[in-house]
Amino acid sequence: MNKRVAVIGGGPSGLECAATLRKMGISVILFDREAETGGHLKQWHKLFPDRRSSTEVLHLLRDNHQPDGIEIYSNTLVERIEETGNNFTIYAQENASYMADAVVLATGFDLFNVTRKEEYGYGIYENVITSADLELMFSSPGKLVTHQGVVPRRVGFVHCVGSRDEKAGNLYCSRVCCITAVKQAIEIRQLLPQTQATCFYMDLRMYGRHFEELYNEAQEKWNVSFIRGRLSEAAENQDGSIIVKVEDTLTGRPLKMNVDLLVLMAGMEPSAFTPKIITNQATAYGEDGFMLPPDPLIGSNRSGTAGLFLAGTCTGPKSITETLADARSAALEAADFLKEILR
Amino acid sequence: MNIEGKRLLWQDYQKVIADDNYYYARSCIRQNFFPGSEKTFLRILRDELGKDILDDAAHTSCTGIGYHTDIVPFETTMTVVARQFSLMTEAGYRNFVPSCITSFGLYTEILETWHNFPEVEEKVRQYLRQATGREFEKPFNLVHASDIIYKFRDEIAAKAKYKLVNKLTGEPLKVVEHIGCHYSKMFPHKGIGGAEYPYVLTGMIEAWGGEVIDYPERRHCCGFGFRQYVVQANRGYSLSCSRKKFESMEAYDPDMIITNCPGCPMFLDRWQYALSEMEGKTYGKDGNGIPVFTYEEVAGLVLGYNPWDLGLQVHQVPAELLLDRMGIDYDRSAKFKGLNGKDLGRPKSPSFLKFYKDE
Amino acid sequence: MALLYDRIAQDVRFVEGLKACLNCGTCTAICPAAEFYNYDPRIIADTVQSKDDNLIEALLRSETIWYCGECMSCKTRCPRGNTPGLIIIALRSLSQDLGMFTDSEKGRQQLAIKRTIGETILRYGYCVHPEILDTDMHPEQGPIWDWEKKNIVEVMKRLGANYKGDGPGILRSIPQEALDELRRIFDVTGGTERYERIEEFSKLKAEEMGLECGQGIDSEYFRYVYKTNNDKHSKE
């Protein structure tokens, strides 16, 4: 009797969870709403802290770590999951349905829609871009120019866009944006040695291994400058460059600065799809909108529903390393659950 | 700049504006410095749009300036505001329309405070009863006078005799729109278009043929600063704020400035005069200042009203060259006359701003 | 014993204005007063939230709290939902109640405001009125205002006002009944008391400084507080 687990989402957490289950001899069906698996990783260029190629990581997750035996349904939007007796029915578009004995939600995150941070002018002032936009520019050499087509002389990075912000509707910290900003600032300095890079931050959350060292490297080796102040507004000069207002809180002086490109470090929000899929009351969401395990401290992969497990950023912002570890842990929980029901 | 980005945001900040039956609360500053504007507001509402708007003799200042200069305690101001609401209730109205932006901000704040702290509302009711025997109901709809002109901007455009267009070249006039801080900075959802890209004046300008300029200091306060203006020793603050805006907008070559607050047009107008006297510098296309208008003055011009009915003669920065550019037909020589052409003499000329082109 | 902090904490404006500040500086970045004066709204919030009465008393006696222009640009941006402008209103209120405002040059100006705006409100029912406004005190109103004032009745007629008239209209004479109600409101809500305190404390200060306090705008102390600026309020 071969038990089967459905993994909802084909990003890093879904791929790693599926691979881990498969290694344990458990059948997996994986659903992904896009044409290709990989989630946001597909749009990223290099990963912190050591600037590992995300394409390389993606291939590892897809190819090397994926022995045969995983059924992958791409371009498939899961609409609903229902408990039907001892197992689960997964409903996708066009009335397709699938059965599974356990489900792992790996639905991931959405990037904060930075147009909601109106005072920064994204979508209005063309030289205001997001961290995600910048990664795409890194992937295409020659694209690292302003809207006017010239090499920027100064690039500003705005931390905490859509995070730690009552006005944006998200009180939490998105964890990985600080280190991403430091990484991207270094990449700018590497690619455009004549260009200045300035990070506008409230705190520098260098929580992970080698993060603090990267910050050190950014200052010492690459001359990235750091100003401790949350950006208040961005406006456009006549030449299309951006003028920003910030307080340098360490010296206690307000200042205005011109930058040619302003990069908004967009935070992570819970994926808008998750609540549409799970409609039973036992599965809880935190006030921050991410899924909330009943015991988040020691049971971080368990939802309120037996047989339904949580992996990756659907329970909160994480780095790739944390996501993969969490995904393997979810696989273990699912396997354990299946053993129980086999008894 | 991509204006479509702004249009998307404007959708998020719409508000309900009552259709008719308004209780009008006049503005201290506008009655003193822009009487023509309040006159024009009532004229447009009654004569052009056929609306019912009550001009009640019994209402007083809301004490907003006193409150924001910190000489009037919040309890006092709240109770005066409660009295205004009581007058509205007594007269059988539910839609309250202040002429002043500070008032609008204040009324909005007070309603919000009462909502969050019902015990404060109860205390104010007691105070009002004790002092005057009055009771009141809160307004059903509270909007600023500029919201109403915004609401009927297309009706005004349909009756327009002139447009915000350079008659000679056919090009839209370049317009700086300045929103009073207390309109939407405190409660973005109570302002049309929100706080960052307000639409209340932009909507009017677009409807009447003009083009809005965005410039870096667009959102900067004009510098009223209440006590920073009232006390002579502090006026540098006020002047500096306006100057910062002028220096920032200069490069964009504006034809005119329109504002929706009582204080803002006064400061943006007077400080241009003061700067010209102090530094010899003038702004604007003709080097004769950038004329500053209230939205009623612009609505009146567009409708073909006599500029001297609108009160343009009491601006420090003269408007004639702009009126000429718009192709408006008016009697230049009647500028400083009283009723029935009565001769009232002329003001002394300032050093740099020319009051009349042919002197 | 945080007596001063406790008093401020009772002011509803303060309760609305300060939850907790994380010192991000967004308010200072956008504040017009921070551009012009030695002023930093972030530090105001941070200082008050320390609940340190010594620091709070120093604020109440300082120039600092009088620099804010109450434009509320800070309210739009603060990620924690604070409003330094409202904290300032609460501080200014307490400073006047306790008489500490006369310690600072800017604070002393409250008398000037009370005797102009404040008395105009009760006398006319408006915050400002042509009868008390002239280019001596307001030169920026310029030659146009001089001309207007000289011909006030005619100009007001021309512009459709009901200047000092009965019934509704621009700059009408506000009915005595309304002015009486206004005054009673001031009496009952502490407005009159505030005015009196401003006068009392200012009188003490004037005596200390050897200046005649008198009444109205024609007094030594009034002219002194109205015009004096020690030029130490701005950054270089």
PDB file of all heavy atoms in Angstrom, chain A residues 31 73 76-80 89-99:
ATOM      1  N   PHE A  31       2.310  20.130  -7.096  1.00  0.00           N
ATOM      2  CA  PHE A  31       1.540  21.087  -7.900  1.00  0.00           C
ATOM      3  C   PHE A  31       2.248  22.433  -7.912  1.00  0.00           C
ATOM      4  O   PHE A  31       2.660  22.948  -6.864  1.00  0.00           O
ATOM      5  CB  PHE A  31       0.133  21.290  -7.313  1.00  0.00           C
ATOM      6  CG  PHE A  31      -0.667  20.039  -7.271  1.00  0.00           C
ATOM      7  CD1 PHE A  31      -0.664  19.227  -6.145  1.00  0.00           C
ATOM      8  CD2 PHE A  31      -1.436  19.651  -8.370  1.00  0.00           C
ATOM      9  CE1 PHE A  31      -1.402  18.066  -6.104  1.00  0.00           C
ATOM     10  CE2 PHE A  31      -2.181  18.493  -8.327  1.00  0.00           C
ATOM     11  CZ  PHE A  31      -2.168  17.687  -7.197  1.00  0.00           C
ATOM     12  N   TYR A  73       2.787  18.483 -11.556  1.00  0.00           N
ATOM     13  CA  TYR A  73       1.741  19.133 -12.349  1.00  0.00           C
ATOM     14  C   TYR A  73       2.034  20.636 -12.382  1.00  0.00           C
ATOM     15  O   TYR A  73       1.729  21.384 -11.454  1.00  0.00           O
ATOM     16  CB  TYR A  73       0.359  18.875 -11.722  1.00  0.00           C
ATOM     17  CG  TYR A  73      -0.045  17.429 -11.778  1.00  0.00           C
ATOM     18  CD1 TYR A  73       0.295  16.540 -10.762  1.00  0.00           C
ATOM     19  CD2 TYR A  73      -0.751  16.936 -12.882  1.00  0.00           C
ATOM     20  CE1 TYR A  73      -0.059  15.212 -10.834  1.00  0.00           C
ATOM     21  CE2 TYR A  73      -1.105  15.604 -12.952  1.00  0.00           C
ATOM     22  CZ  TYR A  73      -0.747  14.742 -11.920  1.00  0.00           C
ATOM     23  OH  TYR A  73      -1.094  13.423 -12.000  1.00  0.00           O
ATOM     24  N   THR A  76      -0.592  24.381 -12.884  1.00  0.00           N
ATOM     25  CA  THR A  76      -1.795  23.880 -12.230  1.00  0.00           C
ATOM     26  C   THR A  76      -2.072  24.698 -10.984  1.00  0.00           C
ATOM     27  O   THR A  76      -1.282  24.712 -10.036  1.00  0.00           O
ATOM     28  CB  THR A  76      -1.611  22.404 -11.846  1.00  0.00           C
ATOM     29  OG1 THR A  76      -1.276  21.663 -13.013  1.00  0.00           O
ATOM     30  CG2 THR A  76      -2.893  21.848 -11.228  1.00  0.00           C
ATOM     31  N   LEU A  77      -3.205  25.357 -10.992  1.00  0.00           N
ATOM     32  CA  LEU A  77      -3.569  26.177  -9.840  1.00  0.00           C
ATOM     33  C   LEU A  77      -4.459  25.339  -8.927  1.00  0.00           C
ATOM     34  O   LEU A  77      -5.572  24.963  -9.300  1.00  0.00           O
ATOM     35  CB  LEU A  77      -4.310  27.426 -10.322  1.00  0.00           C
ATOM     36  CG  LEU A  77      -4.663  28.442  -9.242  1.00  0.00           C
ATOM     37  CD1 LEU A  77      -3.405  29.003  -8.608  1.00  0.00           C
ATOM     38  CD2 LEU A  77      -5.493  29.570  -9.842  1.00  0.00           C
ATOM     39  N   VAL A  78      -3.969  25.037  -7.734  1.00  0.00           N
ATOM     40  CA  VAL A  78      -4.796  24.317  -6.766  1.00  0.00           C
ATOM     41  C   VAL A  78      -5.823  25.301  -6.212  1.00  0.00           C
ATOM     42  O   VAL A  78      -5.483  26.373  -5.755  1.00  0.00           O
ATOM     43  CB  VAL A  78      -3.931  23.739  -5.630  1.00  0.00           C
ATOM     44  CG1 VAL A  78      -4.806  23.218  -4.505  1.00  0.00           C
ATOM     45  CG2 VAL A  78      -3.027  22.648  -6.173  1.00  0.00           C
ATOM     46  N   GLU A  79      -7.086  24.905  -6.269  1.00  0.00           N
ATOM     47  CA  GLU A  79      -8.144  25.829  -5.844  1.00  0.00           C
ATOM     48  C   GLU A  79      -8.621  25.533  -4.431  1.00  0.00           C
ATOM     49  O   GLU A  79      -9.005  26.434  -3.702  1.00  0.00           O
ATOM     50  CB  GLU A  79      -9.312  25.760  -6.824  1.00  0.00           C
ATOM     51  CG  GLU A  79      -8.939  26.377  -8.158  1.00  0.00           C
ATOM     52  CD  GLU A  79     -10.073  26.299  -9.175  1.00  0.00           C
ATOM     53  OE1 GLU A  79     -11.063  25.600  -8.910  1.00  0.00           O
ATOM     54  OE2 GLU A  79      -9.941  26.933 -10.226  1.00  0.00           O
ATOM     55  N   ARG A  80      -8.563  24.253  -4.052  1.00  0.00           N
ATOM     56  CA  ARG A  80      -9.177  23.904  -2.773  1.00  0.00           C
ATOM     57  C   ARG A  80      -8.646  22.566  -2.311  1.00  0.00           C
ATOM     58  O   ARG A  80      -8.359  21.684  -3.121  1.00  0.00           O
ATOM     59  CB  ARG A  80     -10.690  23.787  -2.990  1.00  0.00           C
ATOM     60  CG  ARG A  80     -11.562  24.067  -1.792  1.00  0.00           C
ATOM     61  CD  ARG A  80     -13.019  24.236  -2.200  1.00  0.00           C
ATOM     62  NE  ARG A  80     -13.678  22.989  -2.532  1.00  0.00           N
ATOM     63  CZ  ARG A  80     -13.993  22.593  -3.761  1.00  0.00           C
ATOM     64  NH1 ARG A  80     -13.660  23.338  -4.804  1.00  0.00           N
ATOM     65  NH2 ARG A  80     -14.614  21.448  -3.968  1.00  0.00           N
ATOM     66  N   THR A  89      -8.602  15.458  -0.604  1.00  0.00           N
ATOM     67  CA  THR A  89      -8.855  15.637  -2.030  1.00  0.00           C
ATOM     68  C   THR A  89      -8.377  17.018  -2.433  1.00  0.00           C
ATOM     69  O   THR A  89      -8.734  18.016  -1.800  1.00  0.00           O
ATOM     70  CB  THR A  89     -10.361  15.516  -2.343  1.00  0.00           C
ATOM     71  OG1 THR A  89     -10.853  14.329  -1.756  1.00  0.00           O
ATOM     72  CG2 THR A  89     -10.587  15.497  -3.854  1.00  0.00           C
ATOM     73  N   ILE A  90      -7.566  17.044  -3.471  1.00  0.00           N
ATOM     74  CA  ILE A  90      -7.041  18.318  -3.964  1.00  0.00           C
ATOM     75  C   ILE A  90      -7.770  18.672  -5.253  1.00  0.00           C
ATOM     76  O   ILE A  90      -7.779  17.891  -6.205  1.00  0.00           O
ATOM     77  CB  ILE A  90      -5.519  18.213  -4.233  1.00  0.00           C
ATOM     78  CG1 ILE A  90      -4.770  18.030  -2.920  1.00  0.00           C
ATOM     79  CG2 ILE A  90      -4.994  19.454  -4.938  1.00  0.00           C
ATOM     80  CD1 ILE A  90      -4.321  16.640  -2.641  1.00  0.00           C
ATOM     81  N   TYR A  91      -8.406  19.810  -5.250  1.00  0.00           N
ATOM     82  CA  TYR A  91      -9.151  20.265  -6.429  1.00  0.00           C
ATOM     83  C   TYR A  91      -8.354  21.336  -7.157  1.00  0.00           C
ATOM     84  O   TYR A  91      -7.929  22.312  -6.576  1.00  0.00           O
ATOM     85  CB  TYR A  91     -10.506  20.853  -6.013  1.00  0.00           C
ATOM     86  CG  TYR A  91     -11.432  19.847  -5.392  1.00  0.00           C
ATOM     87  CD1 TYR A  91     -11.513  19.702  -4.010  1.00  0.00           C
ATOM     88  CD2 TYR A  91     -12.229  19.026  -6.200  1.00  0.00           C
ATOM     89  CE1 TYR A  91     -12.359  18.765  -3.433  1.00  0.00           C
ATOM     90  CE2 TYR A  91     -13.081  18.094  -5.631  1.00  0.00           C
ATOM     91  CZ  TYR A  91     -13.139  17.966  -4.239  1.00  0.00           C
ATOM     92  OH  TYR A  91     -13.975  17.041  -3.679  1.00  0.00           O
ATOM     93  N   ALA A  92      -8.183  21.103  -8.453  1.00  0.00           N
ATOM     94  CA  ALA A  92      -7.481  22.106  -9.264  1.00  0.00           C
ATOM     95  C   ALA A  92      -8.451  22.651 -10.307  1.00  0.00           C
ATOM     96  O   ALA A  92      -9.618  22.298 -10.316  1.00  0.00           O
ATOM     97  CB  ALA A  92      -6.252  21.488  -9.904  1.00  0.00           C
ATOM     98  N   GLN A  93      -7.939  23.507 -11.200  1.00  0.00           N
ATOM     99  CA  GLN A  93      -8.844  24.131 -12.171  1.00  0.00           C
ATOM    100  C   GLN A  93      -9.439  23.087 -13.111  1.00  0.00           C
ATOM    101  O   GLN A  93      -8.913  21.997 -13.252  1.00  0.00           O
ATOM    102  CB  GLN A  93      -8.121  25.217 -12.983  1.00  0.00           C
ATOM    103  CG  GLN A  93      -7.094  24.687 -13.961  1.00  0.00           C
ATOM    104  CD  GLN A  93      -5.683  24.966 -13.514  1.00  0.00           C
ATOM    105  OE1 GLN A  93      -5.415  25.063 -12.328  1.00  0.00           O
ATOM    106  NE2 GLN A  93      -4.787  25.101 -14.470  1.00  0.00           N
ATOM    107  N   GLU A  94     -10.552  23.472 -13.701  1.00  0.00           N
ATOM    108  CA  GLU A  94     -11.282  22.582 -14.615  1.00  0.00           C
ATOM    109  C   GLU A  94     -11.703  21.286 -13.956  1.00  0.00           C
ATOM    110  O   GLU A  94     -11.637  20.203 -14.559  1.00  0.00           O
ATOM    111  CB  GLU A  94     -10.451  22.289 -15.881  1.00  0.00           C
ATOM    112  CG  GLU A  94     -10.466  23.455 -16.855  1.00  0.00           C
ATOM    113  CD  GLU A  94      -9.200  23.510 -17.685  1.00  0.00           C
ATOM    114  OE1 GLU A  94      -8.617  22.442 -17.909  1.00  0.00           O
ATOM    115  OE2 GLU A  94      -8.806  24.621 -18.095  1.00  0.00           O
ATOM    116  N   ASN A  95     -12.105  21.403 -12.697  1.00  0.00           N
ATOM    117  CA  ASN A  95     -12.666  20.263 -11.968  1.00  0.00           C
ATOM    118  C   ASN A  95     -11.754  19.063 -11.826  1.00  0.00           C
ATOM    119  O   ASN A  95     -12.220  17.962 -11.533  1.00  0.00           O
ATOM    120  CB  ASN A  95     -13.985  19.800 -12.621  1.00  0.00           C
ATOM    121  CG  ASN A  95     -15.088  20.810 -12.348  1.00  0.00           C
ATOM    122  OD1 ASN A  95     -15.179  21.358 -11.256  1.00  0.00           O
ATOM    123  ND2 ASN A  95     -15.906  21.062 -13.348  1.00  0.00           N
ATOM    124  N   ALA A  96     -10.455  19.242 -12.045  1.00  0.00           N
ATOM    125  CA  ALA A  96      -9.540  18.107 -11.825  1.00  0.00           C
ATOM    126  C   ALA A  96      -9.422  17.857 -10.342  1.00  0.00           C
ATOM    127  O   ALA A  96      -9.406  18.798  -9.540  1.00  0.00           O
ATOM    128  CB  ALA A  96      -8.181  18.444 -12.405  1.00  0.00           C
ATOM    129  N   SER A  97      -9.356  16.607  -9.929  1.00  0.00           N
ATOM    130  CA  SER A  97      -9.166  16.332  -8.507  1.00  0.00           C
ATOM    131  C   SER A  97      -8.184  15.188  -8.324  1.00  0.00           C
ATOM    132  O   SER A  97      -8.050  14.312  -9.176  1.00  0.00           O
ATOM    133  CB  SER A  97     -10.501  16.001  -7.843  1.00  0.00           C
ATOM    134  OG  SER A  97     -10.978  14.762  -8.308  1.00  0.00           O
ATOM    135  N   TYR A  98      -7.496  15.252  -7.173  1.00  0.00           N
ATOM    136  CA  TYR A  98      -6.454  14.274  -6.882  1.00  0.00           C
ATOM    137  C   TYR A  98      -6.575  13.854  -5.431  1.00  0.00           C
ATOM    138  O   TYR A  98      -7.011  14.630  -4.586  1.00  0.00           O
ATOM    139  CB  TYR A  98      -5.063  14.895  -7.104  1.00  0.00           C
ATOM    140  CG  TYR A  98      -4.910  15.565  -8.456  1.00  0.00           C
ATOM    141  CD1 TYR A  98      -5.369  16.874  -8.672  1.00  0.00           C
ATOM    142  CD2 TYR A  98      -4.314  14.895  -9.534  1.00  0.00           C
ATOM    143  CE1 TYR A  98      -5.236  17.471  -9.904  1.00  0.00           C
ATOM    144  CE2 TYR A  98      -4.184  15.499 -10.766  1.00  0.00           C
ATOM    145  CZ  TYR A  98      -4.643  16.789 -10.949  1.00  0.00           C
ATOM    146  OH  TYR A  98      -4.518  17.390 -12.179  1.00  0.00           O
ATOM    147  N   MET A  99      -6.138  12.618  -5.137  1.00  0.00           N
ATOM    148  CA  MET A  99      -6.207  12.143  -3.758  1.00  0.00           C
ATOM    149  C   MET A  99      -4.818  12.072  -3.176  1.00  0.00           C
ATOM    150  O   MET A  99      -3.860  11.738  -3.872  1.00  0.00           O
ATOM    151  CB  MET A  99      -6.814  10.734  -3.723  1.00  0.00           C
ATOM    152  CG  MET A  99      -8.204  10.678  -4.273  1.00  0.00           C
ATOM    153  SD  MET A  99      -9.373  11.132  -2.988  1.00  0.00           S
ATOM    154  CE  MET A  99      -9.360   9.629  -2.039  1.00  0.00           C
TER     155      MET A  99
END
